[in-house]
Each structure stands twice: as structure tokens, then as C-alpha cells.
Amino acid sequence: MLNVNELTSLAEELSKASKKGMKIGLVPTMGALHDGHMELIKQARIHAEYVIVSIFINPLQFNQADDFINYPSNLLKDSDKLKNAGVDLLFNPDLKLIYPKKPAVKIDFGNISRNLEGAFRLNHFEGVGLIVMKLFNLIKPDVAFFGLKDLQQYVLIKNLIKEFSYPIKLYGVPTVREENGLALSSRNVHLSPSGLNIASQIYKGLVWAKKNFKTFNTSEALIIQLKKFYHPQDGLTIEYCEILNSNTFKPVKSLQSGGKITLFIAAYVESVRLIDNISLQE
Ligand code: AMP
């Protein structure tokens, strides 16, 4: 595996791969790799002949300085994992390479970026938009892989690809979970064993909601019950819990209306912010 952190060698390697007619796959990450990331890489190896993983902790998508400073990082361990997974190139640029100066351009994804993560993490998606466009422009992948744990992000990237006519096929990879249901996340390393246990309630509530949603007419009624489900769990603070159409990201009022209904949640456990979602359809 090549470890590249500047643009000339990146361009050379990309040119070699495309001369060989290889399909280039990109998996963008912020490192501290876990089995969720590894599943994206596994899919990339299936759908592309030359797999690039980027590791870049993008300051522009953090709305809290502490979260950025404390974001876990372990490049040596990550690099070993990527080698073992058969990745061809690790792109690990430093901050100055990606942002030689503070970007003046802002990416606004419109209405679908206004709620959920867009509402609770100010400017988060602006930052995501910039880094993803940079990576697309520098690497020009044929296929790109994003996790459905960050469903709103996935839909925004899908729109970005369409609106900017990137010739990129996007794959959304289902969420990889611990045995107890907790969605894998780099931030989980900050949780104590008891915190991990508390955090596993998040998905248990989502599964409860999926099982029972047909007995409720409105999203409001379901959310009230779901909050009661979570209430006894000390140490779990819900930030949002909303039911939206996952194409338009508009709130869904009636649960009997059909369409792509998804329940989204963000919660804090031991000051760690965790997100998850579940489709309420069969
Ligand atoms: P991150 O390093 O957290 O920015 O995530 C990089 C990519 O991995 C994003 O596309 C995430 O949606 C995806 N991802 C993160 N956690 C998981 C998971 N548990 N299962 C599947 N994909 C994930």
C-alpha cells in the first residue's frame, strides 16, 4: 500500500491506475478506523480495482472545538488495517494541503441540510461539502462509498454528485453494529464499558419503534412513546428524535402515509455525541 500525502505522487499513481484501465474507488474517512469503515473498504474492493482510502480530520465540519481536538487518531494502527485489507493507496494530506487558506466558497445543500445534523451542528454540512468536493476533484473516483449511518450526509452527497455532474457511482453501505446493536463509531472509544452499555439502548429504542410504529397514527405519538422508552435509562440524553422522509428530509406527520419514512436520533452518553437511524418500512 502506498502512503501518499502530497499531490504530485497522488496524480502519478492515479494516472498509472487509469492507464491500466482500473476503476478507482474512494472511501473518505477521518481515521480511527473500525469495522464500519472496513465494511466500506470491503465493498470498494468488490466494486473497484484500485482502492483509495483518505484519512483527513476535517476541521471545517466540526462545530465544537473540543470535539475536533479530542477526535481519536491512530495513523499507525489505521495504516496496518488498510494494508491488511488490500487497500492500494492511503491519502493522508495535512491541513495546509487541503486548505492553503480559509476557503471563501461555501457549499449550501439547501433545504435537506437544514434539519437534523444541519440544525444541531451549525456549518457541519458546509464543511462536509467542501472536503468531499476536494477529494472528488483530486482523486476523480469512478465509485465512492459512504455509510448509511450518516444517512443525511449520504443523501446530500448523492445530490452533490447529481447537481455537479460528477461521473461517480455512489454506494451507501448499511450500518455496522456491535453485537448489542450500538452503531460503530470512532467516537465510541471515548465511552467507558458502562457508557457503551447505555449507548446500546439507542438502537434498542429504534428497533422498538420499528416494531410498533403501525400501532401509532402520528409521528408525534410514536416519538412521545419512544422518549418514554428511553426515559428510564440514566446517562442517555436525547438531542433529537425525529421522523422524516429520507428523500426530502421533510417531517412526516402521519405514519400511515407510506413513502420513505425514517426515524433519526442523536443522543449524548458521557458527553459523546452519537447518531443513528432506522427505516420504519419493512
Ligand atoms: P468517519 O470516519 O466517521 O467520517 O466515517 C467515514 C465513513 O464511514 C462515512 O461514510 C460514515 O458514514 C461511514 N461509517 C461510519 N460508521 C459506520 C458504521 N458503523 N457502519 C457503516 N459505515 C460507517
Coordinates of all heavy atoms in Angstrom, one line a residue, residues 122-181:
L122 N -24.1 23.4 13.5 CA -24.0 24.6 12.6 C -22.8 24.5 11.6 O -21.7 24.2 12.1 CB -24.0 25.9 13.4 CG -24.8 27.0 12.9 CD1 -26.3 26.5 12.8 CD2 -24.7 28.2 13.8
N123 N -23.0 24.7 10.4 CA -22.0 24.7 9.3 C -21.4 23.3 9.1 O -20.4 23.2 8.3 CB -20.9 25.7 9.6 CG -21.4 27.1 9.8 OD1 -22.4 27.4 9.1 ND2 -20.8 27.9 10.6
H124 N -21.9 22.3 9.7 CA -21.3 20.9 9.6 C -21.3 20.5 8.1 O -20.3 20.1 7.5 CB -22.1 19.9 10.4 CG -21.8 18.5 10.1 ND1 -20.6 17.9 10.4 CD2 -22.5 17.5 9.6 CE1 -20.6 16.7 10.1 NE2 -21.8 16.4 9.6
F125 N -22.5 20.6 7.4 CA -22.5 20.1 6.1 C -21.8 21.0 5.1 O -21.3 20.5 4.0 CB -24.0 20.0 5.6 CG -24.6 18.7 6.3 CD1 -25.8 18.9 7.0 CD2 -24.0 17.5 6.2 CE1 -26.4 17.7 7.6 CE2 -24.6 16.4 6.8 CZ -25.8 16.5 7.5
E126 N -21.6 22.3 5.4 CA -20.8 23.2 4.6 C -19.4 22.6 4.5 O -18.7 22.5 3.5 CB -20.6 24.5 5.2 CG -21.4 25.6 4.6 CD -21.3 26.9 5.4 OE1 -20.2 27.2 5.9 OE2 -22.3 27.6 5.4
G127 N -18.9 22.1 5.7 CA -17.5 21.6 5.8 C -17.5 20.2 5.1 O -16.5 19.9 4.4
V128 N -18.5 19.4 5.3 CA -18.5 18.1 4.6 C -18.5 18.3 3.1 O -17.8 17.7 2.3 CB -19.8 17.3 5.0 CG1 -20.0 16.1 4.1 CG2 -19.7 16.9 6.5
G129 N -19.3 19.2 2.6 CA -19.4 19.5 1.2 C -18.0 19.9 0.6 O -17.6 19.4 -0.5
L130 N -17.3 20.8 1.3 CA -16.0 21.2 0.8 C -15.0 20.1 0.7 O -14.3 19.9 -0.3 CB -15.5 22.3 1.7 CG -15.9 23.7 1.4 CD1 -15.3 24.7 2.3 CD2 -15.6 24.1 -0.1
I131 N -14.9 19.3 1.8 CA -13.9 18.2 1.8 C -14.3 17.2 0.7 O -13.4 16.7 0.0 CB -13.6 17.6 3.2 CG1 -12.5 16.7 3.1 CG2 -14.9 16.9 3.7 CD1 -11.2 17.2 2.7
V132 N -15.5 16.8 0.6 CA -15.9 15.8 -0.3 C -15.7 16.3 -1.8 O -15.1 15.5 -2.6 CB -17.4 15.3 -0.1 CG1 -17.8 14.4 -1.2 CG2 -17.5 14.6 1.2
M133 N -16.0 17.5 -2.1 CA -15.7 18.0 -3.4 C -14.2 18.1 -3.7 O -13.7 17.7 -4.8 CB -16.3 19.4 -3.6 CG -17.8 19.4 -3.7 SD -18.5 21.0 -4.1 CE -18.2 21.1 -5.9
K134 N -13.4 18.5 -2.7 CA -11.9 18.5 -2.9 C -11.5 17.1 -3.2 O -10.7 16.9 -4.1 CB -11.3 18.9 -1.6 CG -11.3 20.4 -1.3 CD -9.9 20.9 -1.5 CE -9.9 22.4 -1.1 NZ -8.7 23.1 -1.6
L135 N -11.9 16.1 -2.4 CA -11.5 14.7 -2.7 C -11.9 14.2 -4.0 O -11.2 13.5 -4.7 CB -12.0 13.8 -1.5 CG -11.4 14.1 -0.1 CD1 -12.1 13.3 0.9 CD2 -9.9 13.7 -0.1
F136 N -13.2 14.5 -4.4 CA -13.7 14.1 -5.7 C -12.8 14.7 -6.8 O -12.5 14.1 -7.8 CB -15.1 14.5 -5.9 CG -16.1 13.6 -5.2 CD1 -17.5 13.9 -5.2 CD2 -15.7 12.5 -4.5 CE1 -18.4 13.1 -4.5 CE2 -16.6 11.7 -3.8 CZ -18.0 12.0 -3.9
N137 N -12.5 16.0 -6.6 CA -11.7 16.7 -7.7 C -10.3 16.2 -7.8 O -9.7 16.1 -8.9 CB -11.7 18.2 -7.4 CG -13.1 18.8 -7.6 OD1 -14.0 18.2 -8.2 ND2 -13.4 20.0 -7.0
L138 N -9.7 15.9 -6.6 CA -8.3 15.5 -6.6 C -8.1 14.0 -7.1 O -7.2 13.7 -7.8 CB -7.7 15.6 -5.2 CG -7.5 17.1 -4.7 CD1 -7.1 17.1 -3.3 CD2 -6.4 17.8 -5.6
I139 N -9.1 13.2 -6.7 CA -9.0 11.8 -6.9 C -9.7 11.3 -8.1 O -9.4 10.3 -8.8 CB -9.3 11.0 -5.6 CG1 -8.3 11.3 -4.5 CG2 -9.4 9.5 -5.8 CD1 -8.7 10.9 -3.1
K140 N -10.8 12.0 -8.5 CA -11.7 11.6 -9.6 C -12.0 10.1 -9.6 O -11.8 9.4 -10.5 CB -11.0 12.0 -10.9 CG -10.7 13.4 -11.1 CD -10.1 13.7 -12.5 CE -9.6 15.2 -12.6 NZ -8.5 15.5 -11.6
P141 N -12.7 9.7 -8.5 CA -13.0 8.3 -8.4 C -14.1 7.9 -9.4 O -14.9 8.8 -9.7 CB -13.5 8.2 -6.9 CG -14.0 9.5 -6.6 CD -13.2 10.5 -7.3
D142 N -14.2 6.7 -9.7 CA -15.3 6.2 -10.5 C -16.5 5.8 -9.6 O -17.6 5.9 -9.9 CB -14.9 4.9 -11.3 CG -13.8 5.3 -12.3 OD1 -14.1 6.0 -13.3 OD2 -12.6 4.9 -12.0
V143 N -16.1 5.3 -8.4 CA -17.1 4.9 -7.4 C -16.7 5.4 -6.0 O -15.5 5.5 -5.7 CB -17.2 3.3 -7.4 CG1 -18.0 2.8 -8.5 CG2 -15.9 2.6 -7.3
A144 N -17.7 5.7 -5.2 CA -17.4 6.3 -3.9 C -18.3 5.6 -2.9 O -19.4 5.3 -3.2 CB -17.5 7.8 -3.8
F145 N -17.8 5.5 -1.6 CA -18.5 4.7 -0.6 C -18.7 5.5 0.6 O -17.8 6.0 1.2 CB -17.7 3.4 -0.3 CG -17.5 2.5 -1.6 CD1 -16.6 2.8 -2.5 CD2 -18.4 1.5 -1.8 CE1 -16.4 2.1 -3.7 CE2 -18.3 0.8 -3.0 CZ -17.3 1.1 -3.9
F146 N -20.0 5.6 1.0 CA -20.3 6.3 2.2 C -21.3 5.5 3.1 O -22.0 4.6 2.5 CB -21.0 7.6 1.9 CG -20.1 8.7 1.3 CD1 -19.7 8.7 0.0 CD2 -19.6 9.7 2.1 CE1 -18.9 9.6 -0.5 CE2 -18.7 10.6 1.6 CZ -18.3 10.6 0.3
G147 N -21.2 5.7 4.4 CA -22.1 4.9 5.3 C -23.5 5.4 5.5 O -23.7 6.6 5.5
L148 N -24.4 4.5 5.6 CA -25.8 4.9 5.8 C -26.1 5.3 7.2 O -27.2 5.7 7.5 CB -26.8 3.8 5.3 CG -26.6 3.5 3.8 CD1 -27.6 2.4 3.4 CD2 -26.9 4.8 2.9
K149 N -25.1 5.1 8.1 CA -25.3 5.6 9.5 C -25.5 7.1 9.4 O -26.3 7.7 10.2 CB -24.1 5.2 10.3 CG -24.2 5.8 11.7 CD -23.1 5.2 12.6 CE -21.9 6.1 12.7 NZ -22.0 7.3 13.5
D150 N -24.7 7.7 8.5 CA -24.9 9.2 8.3 C -25.8 9.4 7.1 O -25.3 9.8 6.0 CB -23.5 9.8 8.0 CG -22.5 9.5 9.2 OD1 -22.7 10.1 10.2 OD2 -21.7 8.6 9.1
L151 N -27.0 9.0 7.2 CA -27.9 9.0 6.1 C -28.2 10.3 5.5 O -28.2 10.5 4.2 CB -29.3 8.4 6.5 CG -30.3 8.1 5.4 CD1 -29.8 7.2 4.3 CD2 -31.6 7.5 6.0
Q152 N -28.2 11.4 6.3 CA -28.5 12.7 5.8 C -27.2 13.1 4.9 O -27.4 13.7 3.8 CB -28.7 13.7 6.9 CG -29.2 15.1 6.4 CD -29.5 16.0 7.6 OE1 -29.0 15.8 8.8 NE2 -30.2 17.0 7.4
Q153 N -26.1 12.8 5.4 CA -24.8 13.1 4.6 C -24.8 12.3 3.3 O -24.5 12.9 2.3 CB -23.6 12.7 5.5 CG -22.3 12.6 4.7 CD -21.1 12.3 5.6 OE1 -20.7 13.2 6.3 NE2 -20.7 11.1 5.6
Y154 N -25.2 11.0 3.4 CA -25.3 10.2 2.1 C -26.2 10.9 1.1 O -25.8 11.0 -0.1 CB -25.8 8.8 2.5 CG -26.1 8.0 1.3 CD1 -25.0 7.4 0.6 CD2 -27.4 7.8 0.8 CE1 -25.3 6.6 -0.6 CE2 -27.6 7.1 -0.3 CZ -26.6 6.5 -1.0 OH -26.9 5.8 -2.2
V155 N -27.4 11.3 1.5 CA -28.3 11.9 0.6 C -27.8 13.2 0.0 O -27.9 13.5 -1.2 CB -29.7 12.1 1.2 CG1 -30.7 12.8 0.3 CG2 -30.3 10.7 1.6
L156 N -27.1 14.0 0.9 CA -26.5 15.3 0.4 C -25.5 15.0 -0.7 O -25.4 15.7 -1.7 CB -25.9 16.0 1.6 CG -26.9 16.6 2.6 CD1 -26.1 17.2 3.8 CD2 -27.9 17.5 2.1
I157 N -24.6 14.0 -0.4 CA -23.6 13.6 -1.4 C -24.2 13.2 -2.7 O -23.7 13.5 -3.8 CB -22.6 12.6 -0.8 CG1 -22.0 12.9 0.5 CG2 -21.5 12.2 -1.8 CD1 -21.1 14.1 0.6
K158 N -25.3 12.4 -2.5 CA -26.0 11.9 -3.8 C -26.5 13.1 -4.6 O -26.3 13.2 -5.8 CB -27.2 11.1 -3.3 CG -27.8 10.3 -4.4 CD -28.7 9.2 -3.9 CE -30.1 9.7 -3.7 NZ -31.0 8.7 -3.2
N159 N -27.0 14.1 -3.9 CA -27.4 15.3 -4.6 C -26.3 16.1 -5.2 O -26.3 16.6 -6.3 CB -28.2 16.3 -3.6 CG -29.5 15.7 -3.3 OD1 -29.9 14.6 -3.7 ND2 -30.3 16.4 -2.5
L160 N -25.2 16.2 -4.4 CA -24.0 16.9 -4.9 C -23.5 16.3 -6.2 O -23.2 17.0 -7.2 CB -22.9 16.8 -3.8 CG -21.6 17.4 -4.1 CD1 -21.6 18.9 -3.6 CD2 -20.4 16.7 -3.4
I161 N -23.4 14.9 -6.2 CA -22.9 14.2 -7.4 C -23.8 14.5 -8.6 O -23.3 14.8 -9.7 CB -22.9 12.7 -7.1 CG1 -21.7 12.4 -6.2 CG2 -22.8 11.9 -8.4 CD1 -21.6 11.0 -5.7
K162 N -25.1 14.5 -8.4 CA -26.1 14.8 -9.5 C -26.0 16.2 -9.9 O -25.8 16.5 -11.1 CB -27.5 14.5 -8.9 CG -28.4 14.2 -10.0 CD -29.7 13.6 -9.5 CE -30.8 13.6 -10.5 NZ -32.1 13.6 -10.0
E163 N -26.0 17.2 -9.0 CA -26.1 18.6 -9.4 C -24.8 19.1 -10.0 O -24.8 20.0 -10.9 CB -26.4 19.4 -8.2 CG -27.9 19.2 -7.7 CD -28.5 20.3 -6.9 OE1 -28.0 21.5 -7.0 OE2 -29.5 20.1 -6.3
F164 N -23.6 18.5 -9.6 CA -22.4 19.0 -10.2 C -21.9 18.0 -11.3 O -20.7 18.1 -11.7 CB -21.3 19.1 -9.1 CG -21.5 20.3 -8.2 CD1 -22.3 20.3 -7.1 CD2 -20.8 21.5 -8.5 CE1 -22.5 21.4 -6.3 CE2 -21.0 22.7 -7.8 CZ -21.9 22.6 -6.7
S165 N -22.8 17.1 -11.7 CA -22.5 16.1 -12.8 C -21.1 15.4 -12.6 O -20.4 15.2 -13.5 CB -22.4 16.9 -14.1 OG -23.6 17.6 -14.3
Y166 N -20.8 15.0 -11.4 CA -19.7 14.1 -11.2 C -19.9 12.8 -11.8 O -21.0 12.2 -11.5 CB -19.3 14.0 -9.7 CG -18.7 15.1 -9.0 CD1 -19.3 15.9 -8.1 CD2 -17.3 15.5 -9.3 CE1 -18.7 17.0 -7.5 CE2 -16.7 16.5 -8.7 CZ -17.4 17.3 -7.8 OH -16.8 18.4 -7.2
P167 N -19.0 12.2 -12.6 CA -19.3 10.9 -13.1 C -18.9 9.8 -12.1 O -18.0 9.0 -12.3 CB -18.4 10.9 -14.4 CG -17.3 11.8 -14.0 CD -17.8 12.8 -13.1
I168 N -19.6 9.8 -11.0 CA -19.2 9.0 -9.9 C -20.4 8.1 -9.5 O -21.5 8.7 -9.3 CB -18.8 9.8 -8.6 CG1 -17.5 10.6 -9.0 CG2 -18.5 8.9 -7.4 CD1 -17.1 11.6 -7.9
K169 N -20.2 6.8 -9.3 CA -21.3 6.0 -8.8 C -21.2 5.9 -7.3 O -20.1 5.6 -6.8 CB -21.3 4.6 -9.5 CG -22.4 3.7 -9.1 CD -22.5 2.5 -10.0 CE -23.3 1.4 -9.6 NZ -24.7 1.7 -9.1
L170 N -22.3 6.2 -6.6 CA -22.2 6.3 -5.2 C -22.8 5.0 -4.6 O -23.9 4.6 -5.0 CB -23.0 7.5 -4.7 CG -23.1 7.8 -3.2 CD1 -21.8 8.2 -2.7 CD2 -24.2 8.9 -2.9
Y171 N -22.1 4.5 -3.6 CA -22.7 3.3 -2.9 C -22.9 3.7 -1.4 O -22.0 4.3 -0.8 CB -21.7 2.1 -2.9 CG -21.6 1.4 -4.2 CD1 -20.8 1.9 -5.2 CD2 -22.4 0.3 -4.5 CE1 -20.7 1.2 -6.5 CE2 -22.4 -0.3 -5.7 CZ -21.5 0.1 -6.7 OH -21.4 -0.5 -7.9
G172 N -24.1 3.3 -0.9 CA -24.4 3.6 0.5 C -24.3 2.2 1.2 O -24.9 1.2 0.8
V173 N -23.5 2.2 2.3 CA -23.2 0.9 3.0 C -24.0 0.9 4.3 O -23.9 1.8 5.1 CB -21.7 0.8 3.2 CG1 -21.4 -0.5 3.9 CG2 -20.9 0.8 1.9
P174 N -24.7 -0.2 4.5 CA -25.5 -0.3 5.7 C -24.6 -0.2 7.0 O -23.5 -0.6 7.0 CB -26.2 -1.7 5.6 CG -26.2 -2.0 4.2 CD -25.0 -1.3 3.6
T175 N -25.3 0.2 8.0 CA -24.5 0.5 9.3 C -24.0 -0.8 9.9 O -24.8 -1.8 10.1 CB -25.5 1.2 10.3 OG1 -25.9 2.4 9.7 CG2 -24.8 1.5 11.6
V176 N -22.8 -0.8 10.3 CA -22.2 -2.0 11.0 C -22.3 -1.7 12.5 O -22.1 -0.6 13.0 CB -20.7 -2.2 10.6 CG1 -20.1 -3.3 11.4 CG2 -20.6 -2.4 9.1
R177 N -22.7 -2.7 13.2 CA -23.1 -2.6 14.7 C -22.3 -3.5 15.6 O -21.9 -4.6 15.1 CB -24.6 -2.8 14.9 CG -25.4 -1.9 14.1 CD -26.9 -2.1 14.2 NE -27.6 -1.1 13.4 CZ -27.8 0.1 13.8 NH1 -27.4 0.5 14.9 NH2 -28.4 1.0 12.9
E178 N -22.2 -3.2 16.8 CA -21.7 -4.1 17.9 C -22.8 -5.2 18.0 O -24.0 -5.0 17.6 CB -21.6 -3.4 19.2 CG -20.6 -2.3 19.3 CD -19.2 -2.7 19.4 OE1 -18.9 -3.9 19.3 OE2 -18.3 -1.8 19.5
E179 N -22.5 -6.3 18.7 CA -23.5 -7.3 18.9 C -24.7 -6.8 19.6 O -25.8 -7.2 19.3 CB -22.9 -8.4 19.7 CG -22.7 -9.7 18.9 CD -21.9 -10.8 19.6 OE1 -22.3 -11.1 20.7 OE2 -20.9 -11.2 19.0
N180 N -24.5 -5.8 20.5 CA -25.7 -5.3 21.3 C -26.4 -4.2 20.5 O -27.4 -3.6 21.0 CB -25.2 -4.7 22.6 CG -24.2 -3.5 22.4 OD1 -24.1 -3.0 21.4 ND2 -23.6 -3.2 23.5
G181 N -26.1 -4.0 19.2 CA -26.8 -3.1 18.4 C -26.2 -1.7 18.2 O -26.5 -1.0 17.3

